[in-house]
Amino acid sequence: MGTNGTTCSGTMKATSNGVFQGENPLHYALPLLILQICIVLLLTRVLAFLLRPLRQPRVIAEIVGGILLGPSALGKSSKYLNTVFPAKSLTVLDTLANLGLIFFLFLVGLELDPKSLKRTGKKALSIALAGITFPFILGIGTSFVLRGSIADGVSKAPFLVFMGVALSITAFPVLARILAEIKLLTTDIGKIALSAAAVNDVAAWILLALAVALSGDGNSPLTSLWVFLAGTGFVLFCIYAVQPGIKWLAKRCPEGEPVKEQYVCYTLGIVLAASFVTDLIGIHALFGAFVIGVIFPKEGNFANSLVEKVEDLVSGLFLPLYFVSSGLKTDVATIQGAQSWGLLVLVIFTACFGKIIGTVLVSLYCKVPLDESLALGFLMNTKGLVELIVLNIGKDRGVLNDQVFAIMVLMAIFTTFMTTPLVLAVYKPGKSITKGDSKNQTVEETNQSNKPLRLMFCFHSIMNIPTIVNLIEASRGTNRKESLSVYAMHLMELSERSSAILMAHKVRKNGLPFWNKDKTGTGSSDMVVVAFEAFRRLSRVSVRPMTAISAISTIHEDICRSAERKRVAMVILPFHKHVRLDRTWETTRNEYRWINKKVMDEATCSVAILVDRGLGGTTRVASSDFSLAITVLFFGGNDDREALAFAVRMAEHPGITLTVVRFIPSEEFKPESVKLEITEDQAGSCSGETRLSDIEAITELKAKIKEQETSRSDSDSESKIVYQERIVKCHEEVCEAIKEYSRSNLFLVGKSPDGSVVSGLNVVRSDTPELGPVGNLLTSSESVSTVASVLVVQQYVARCDSPVVGVLKNVTKEESLIEGTESP
């Protein structure tokens, strides 16, 4: 086998026999490639972790990582460069990186929906055209300066076009992730930015195809014309010949069934064949993959399944290799002297000036506010992978020399890095929230003001939909028109995967933050739309689906801000566990628990956690056949009153039977725990106000029951409300009393009930303190045997100098570690 002495020909054998055979594995292609991949993955992931507090996209870490591994930093050591990245290994590395890039460009094409481009509004289209035209013209002007100094001798026409394209590009995938990171993805400004970026992306690829056609080695100008015409013919062939075949494959992959392996193989084969054809034409292999991705049908199960099978390997493993391949060509040391650094400043200034000023001027002309116009300008200045592709093609074709290439790479890093800080500095998406109207932030206040009730239901998947629909039906009352408005928020995690942006695209088709009633489909998001639209038509309830696309660590901010903007009285969250067929609990995802806890801490309205055990069944029934038995366990306190107010609202429905059980301690009652005493003392005079409010709530309930009894003789359609008082001597009697109502369909309880009766229940230890003592009692099969669902309610109380009454008194160390509590 070969050693150093046998590699003079420049070729490397694939595998070695190992060190025990006297061979160095680093002299062979496969082990050296494995080492290179491991180093790349380690460095880029560490950099991404370090840049996360600065809210920078991962592409920045990958570009910087590639530069650090190249001659600009570590590559200054010739021993390191010859050992880890020897010149003879770069062909294998570049080939693998470009193969991964081919499939990644296919995924990028999947992100772009041509139908959405047709629906692009005049405002977004104008901004996109301005964001292309201004920088392109300035890029051509800059190219004359560069050719007269450091780029002398390069082909004039290709260089002009390459510089114009490089300065006019907006990175659509990177922009989408930045928008999601700073909570602008579902706003009007986010919609405009994404639409404009999509148009910009398509225009940039067309211009890049022109630049590549012009950069051929042919002496005749007709050669470039033939290349461009052949490329146009290829696109038309894909649209009219290849697309019908792909659609046929997609139709054979129905929703809910696994995609056959042969269909995936056929599609990937088509992608590679298209890449071969475009390379044969003389454009670039990447164009073929991108075109197939663009014409690929976006609806249905096939696209989602294909992305899930391809993207992790491509985006996580192969794509960083392309950045390293670019970094190995980037030598910052070539930028020497005042002239070169001055040209770097000129290029950065020109790129920023053209994009930002052009976008801002057109945005102001379209009557976009100044702060939003500036934010759009900074957002449209985002660069990314497509920028590097343009630069690498230009470098490989001899259009860009080393110094120009290094300048342009640094420009791309600078413009992308500055996007997030500048947007946050000029535009505050949360500042428009009205703080003055503090009324109707609880169900109790809403009932007293006799205004329509606004609720927000959050859900993670379509499995939550039946229970939500049944709970909405129970909450809608009966004879009051438009008495309930519901916002159903789908919580979707944004990751670095391409499918996350594909998901955002599908949601945008439905017209964020609400859906487009004229659009139908077969995807899971469309199924949600259909379910709520059907319920809206069958009832008088205004149900408006919304979507929160964010990282799990910050998605609670979306919930709280949306609840405040919509002025909802209560946010209802799903419990982080679900019931299996054997009636035992299984954790769906532990991160959901922290979302619930943070929303409880920060929301400026009441919050409830729904512990679902199949409320009302899994199918939608007619209102006339709908029936539920609801029980409220009332101990006292703000949270219990809120639960009672919500239950009384539900009792207006003719199919609801409500039982209110109030627990009163007897004179000889002896609590077994005094953990509540310190907190109650801290509350001071508020404790007396709470008891007075409890008495008023019970008095109003009794009056409502008397009113119901007098009107029952006139109509049998009125709901039934039963009020009972249970005098207990110890907490064992409380448990026995609760067991009597175990056949209910739904329990409503306060998260933090007040009074001495509930103090004994705090003996029960649980890993879910956010449910409170009574909620934990009802969800623990050992204590109370029930299959009823449980709604644990926390009433919002405006914070003042004293602690909030109604927040869980027995605070654990785990809860106290939650940071970021927001004062309303």
Side-chain angles (χ1 to χ4, degrees):
M1 304 294 287
T3 61
N4 277 335
T6 63
T7 58
C8 59
S9 62
T11 60
M12 298 182 72
K13 293 185 177 181
T15 59
S16 72
N17 292 324
V19 293
F20 295 108
Q21 299 289 340
E23 296 179 349
N24 186 350
L26 297 184
H27 294 161
Y28 296 84
L30 181 61
L32 181 59
L33 180 64
I34 293 173
L35 176 64
Q36 291 170 345
I37 293 175
C38 292
I39 292 175
V40 169
L41 292 180
L42 178 62
L43 179 60
T44 54
R45 293 293 172 168
V46 170
L47 287 175
F49 176 78
L50 295 177
L51 291 174
R52 188 178 301 169
L54 300 178
R55 307 177 84 167
Q56 295 296 326
R58 198 175 74 189
V59 65
I60 289 290
E62 291 170 337
I63 296 176
V64 173
I67 293 176
L68 292 178
L69 291 173
S72 300
L74 297 175
K76 290 185 179 297
S77 169
S78 57
K79 184 176 181 180
Y80 152 81
L81 204 59
N82 293 331
T83 303
V84 181
F85 293 101
K88 57 190 176 183
S89 72
L90 297 185
T91 301
V92 177
L93 180 66
D94 286 345
T95 301
L96 188 61
N98 279 279
L99 182 63
L101 189 64
I102 286 174
F103 288 113
F104 183 79
L105 263 294
F106 168 66
L107 298 179
V108 172
L110 275 176
E111 295 175 0
L112 291 173
D113 186 2
K115 294 180 181 179
S116 67
L117 296 181
K118 295 179 182 179
R119 298 192 298 268
T120 301
K122 293 182 180 180
K123 186 183 297 184
L125 184 60
S126 302
I127 292 173
L129 293 178
I132 296 171
T133 307
F134 280 55
F136 192 85
I137 295 174
L138 291 177
I140 293 177
T142 306
S143 66
F144 284 103
V145 179
L146 295 176
R147 285 190 79 248
S149 53
I150 62 175
D152 189 25
V154 300
S155 301
K156 183 177 181 180
F159 185 67
L160 297 181
V161 179
F162 266 101
M163 286 297 298
V165 173
L167 266 64
S168 61
I169 283 176
T170 296
F172 174 80
V174 180
L175 174 63
R177 288 182 175 87
I178 290 176
L179 287 170
E181 179 69 25
I182 59 180
K183 309 298 182 185
L184 293 179
L185 189 62
T186 60
T187 61
D188 290 338
I189 186 176
K191 183 177 179 180
I192 294 174
L194 276 186
S195 299
V199 175
N200 189 296
D201 227 19
V202 173
W205 281 103
I206 295 173
L207 291 173
L208 180 58
L210 175 63
V212 173
L214 292 173
S215 63
D217 295 330
N219 295 323
S220 173
L222 289 177
T223 303
S224 298
L225 178 62
W226 281 114
V227 169
F228 187 75
L229 292 176
T232 304
F234 167 77
V235 173
L236 295 175
F237 176 79
C238 289
I239 293 175
Y240 293 106
V242 179
Q243 190 176 37
I246 299 178
K247 287 183 177 179
W248 179 83
L249 287 178
K251 290 180 181 178
R252 298 178 66 88
C253 302
E255 189 77 27
E257 295 185 12
V259 176
K260 293 183 179 179
E261 178 268 342
Q262 59 187 17
Y263 295 159
V264 178
C265 184
Y266 293 157
T267 304
L268 298 182
I270 292 172
V271 172
L272 292 175
S275 300
F276 174 78
V277 172
T278 51
D279 190 79
L280 185 68
I281 291 172
I283 304 178
H284 198 282
L286 303 177
F287 282 95
F290 178 75
V291 170
I292 297 299
V294 171
I295 68 172
F296 203 91
K298 307 301 188 290
E299 298 81 9
N301 183 40
F302 193 25
N304 293 332
S305 299
L306 195 63
V307 169
E308 290 178 0
K309 294 176 182 295
V310 174
E311 67 175 335
D312 285 338
L313 182 65
V314 171
S315 302
L317 191 64
F318 291 147
L319 190 60
L321 298 181
Y322 188 78
F323 293 104
V324 170
S325 178
S326 301
L328 293 173
K329 303 173 188 176
T330 305
D331 188 0
V332 179
T334 58
I335 307 176
Q336 295 179 346
Q339 183 188 37
S340 296
W341 286 105
L343 291 173
L344 172 62
V345 174
L346 173 66
V347 169
I348 293 176
F349 174 79
T350 304
C352 296
F353 184 84
K355 273 288 185 183
I356 297 172
I357 298 301
T359 302
V360 169
L361 291 178
V362 175
S363 299
L364 292 174
Y365 178 77
C366 296
K367 299 181 180 180
V368 178
L370 179 60
D371 56 346
E372 294 186 11
S373 299
L374 288 172
L376 280 171
F378 295 136
L379 289 169
M380 296 299 291
N381 199 34
T382 303
K383 309 295 182 186
L385 176 65
V386 183
E387 171 88 4
L388 279 188
I389 293 173
V390 172
L391 299 179
N392 275 282
I393 293 176
K395 180 92 164 52
D396 294 338
R397 303 234 168 181
V399 178
L400 306 178
N401 61 26
D402 292 343
Q403 195 169 355
V404 176
F405 182 81
I407 287 175
M408 299 302 290
V409 170
L410 292 181
M411 180 271 293
I413 295 175
F414 181 83
T415 53
T416 305
F417 192 91
M418 64 183 267
T419 300
T420 301
L422 289 179
V423 171
L424 292 176
V426 302
Y427 183 70
K428 306 292 184 183
K431 68 181 181 180
S432 60
I433 297 177
T434 303
K435 296 290 185 180
D437 187 7
S438 61
K439 297 181 180 179
N440 304 322
Q441 293 173 295
T442 68
V443 178
E444 188 177 20
E445 290 178 353
T446 305
N447 288 353
Q448 292 172 355
S449 63
N450 200 28
K451 289 186 177 180
L453 178 63
R454 292 170 174 252
L455 300 176
M456 178 181 287
F457 291 83
C458 299
F459 61 96
H460 306 118
S461 68
I462 58 176
M463 295 176 60
N464 306 127
I465 300 300
T467 296
I468 290 177
V469 169
N470 287 323
L471 193 55
I472 294 173
E473 171 65 28
S475 308
R476 75 183 183 92
T478 171
N479 295 322
R480 292 186 294 178
K481 186 177 181 180
E482 297 296 336
S483 59
L484 177 65
S485 295
V486 173
Y487 301 91
M489 176 173 279
H490 191 180
L491 306 180
M492 305 174 80
E493 179 184 8
L494 181 89
S495 64
E496 291 287 347
R497 304 176 67 178
S498 298
S499 59
I501 304 305
L502 185 62
M503 170 184 66
H505 236 312
K506 289 190 173 184
V507 176
R508 282 184 61 246
K509 284 198 308 178
N510 293 331
L512 282 172
F514 306 118
W515 83 103
N516 187 339
K517 303 184 182 71
D518 298 328
K519 303 295 176 184
T520 57
T522 57
S524 59
S525 60
D526 296 313
M527 292 171 64
V528 172
V529 171
V530 171
F532 287 121
E533 174 67 5
F535 178 76
R536 188 191 67 82
R537 293 175 183 269
L538 292 171
S539 64
R540 299 178 180 178
V541 181
S542 171
V543 185
R544 304 182 184 182
M546 304 171 64
T547 305
I549 304 177
S550 183
I552 285 292
S553 59
T554 61
I555 202 167
H556 66 281
E557 297 175 8
D558 297 68
I559 300 172
C560 295
R561 287 178 179 175
S562 297
E564 192 167 0
R565 280 197 298 266
K566 304 304 179 185
R567 295 184 176 89
V568 300
M570 180 181 289
V571 174
I572 299 177
L573 304 164
F575 191 43
H576 70 281
K577 296 182 180 181
H578 64 272
V579 177
R580 299 191 298 188
L581 294 177
D582 59 357
R583 311 308 300 176
T584 58
W585 290 105
E586 181 180 20
T587 300
T588 305
R589 189 170 174 181
N590 201 51
E591 288 93 338
Y592 294 157
R593 179 195 174 200
W594 296 108
I595 293 174
N596 295 348
K597 290 166 70 68
K598 289 178 180 178
V599 172
M600 281 188 154
D601 284 345
E602 300 183 18
T604 55
C605 65
S606 295
V607 181
I609 296 179
L610 176 61
V611 183
D612 182 27
R613 287 191 175 107
L615 177 65
T618 58
T619 58
R620 168 83 173 102
V621 297
S623 299
S624 58
D625 300 327
F626 186 83
S627 63
L628 283 181
I630 299 178
T631 301
V632 175
L633 304 178
F634 190 89
F635 295 88
N638 296 328
D639 294 353
D640 279 24
R641 287 201 316 278
E642 185 74 356
L644 177 61
F646 193 27
V648 169
R649 170 63 185 239
M650 290 182 175
E652 295 180 6
H653 194 289
I656 300 294
T657 301
L658 172 62
T659 303
V660 180
V661 184
R662 183 186 183 191
F663 292 91
I664 302 175
S666 63
E667 294 181 357
E668 60 268 26
F669 183 86
K670 294 182 178 180
E672 299 186 16
S673 172
V674 292
K675 295 180 181 178
L676 295 181
E677 296 301 324
I678 296 177
T679 306
E680 289 179 343
D681 290 341
Q682 287 178 340
S685 61
C686 293
S687 179
E689 295 179 5
T690 301
R691 294 191 188 98
L692 182 60
S693 299
D694 294 344
I695 295 173
E696 292 177 353
I698 295 297
T699 303
E700 291 177 3
L701 176 65
K702 291 178 179 179
K704 191 175 186 66
I705 294 174
K706 287 184 179 180
E707 180 184 349
Q708 175 195 101
E709 291 175 349
T710 56
S711 61
R712 185 172 298 161
S713 59
D714 301 328
S715 173
D716 293 332
S717 64
E718 293 291 332
S719 61
K720 292 190 296 183
I721 303 178
V722 178
Y723 172 72
Q724 298 177 356
E725 292 185 351
R726 303 297 293 264
I727 301 176
V728 294
K729 299 179 180 179
C730 58
H731 78 278
E732 285 84 0
E733 290 189 6
V734 176
C735 295
E736 292 298 324
I738 294 175
K739 288 181 182 179
E740 297 178 13
Y741 305 95
S742 60
R743 300 180 67 87
S744 301
N745 300 111
L746 177 66
F747 280 99
L748 267 74
V749 299
K751 176 194 171 187
S752 305
D754 280 352
S756 56
V757 175
V758 79
S759 62
L761 301 179
N762 281 330
V763 177
V764 180
R765 300 295 295 173
S766 172
D767 62 344
T768 54
E770 65 272 16
L771 296 184
V774 184
N776 278 308
L777 185 67
L778 292 169
T779 55
S780 175
S781 58
E782 295 82 4
S783 302
V784 177
S785 179
T786 181
V787 294
S789 299
V790 183
L791 190 67
V792 182
V793 179
Q794 172 185 284
Q795 185 181 59
Y796 172 71
V797 178
R799 291 171 175 83
C800 52
D801 294 335
S802 61
V804 178
V805 178
V807 178
L808 186 63
K809 309 300 188 298
N810 186 18
V811 180
T812 64
K813 291 182 180 180
E814 184 179 22
E815 288 179 296
S816 64
L817 293 176
I818 299 177
E819 297 179 355
T821 301
E822 181 180 307
S823 298

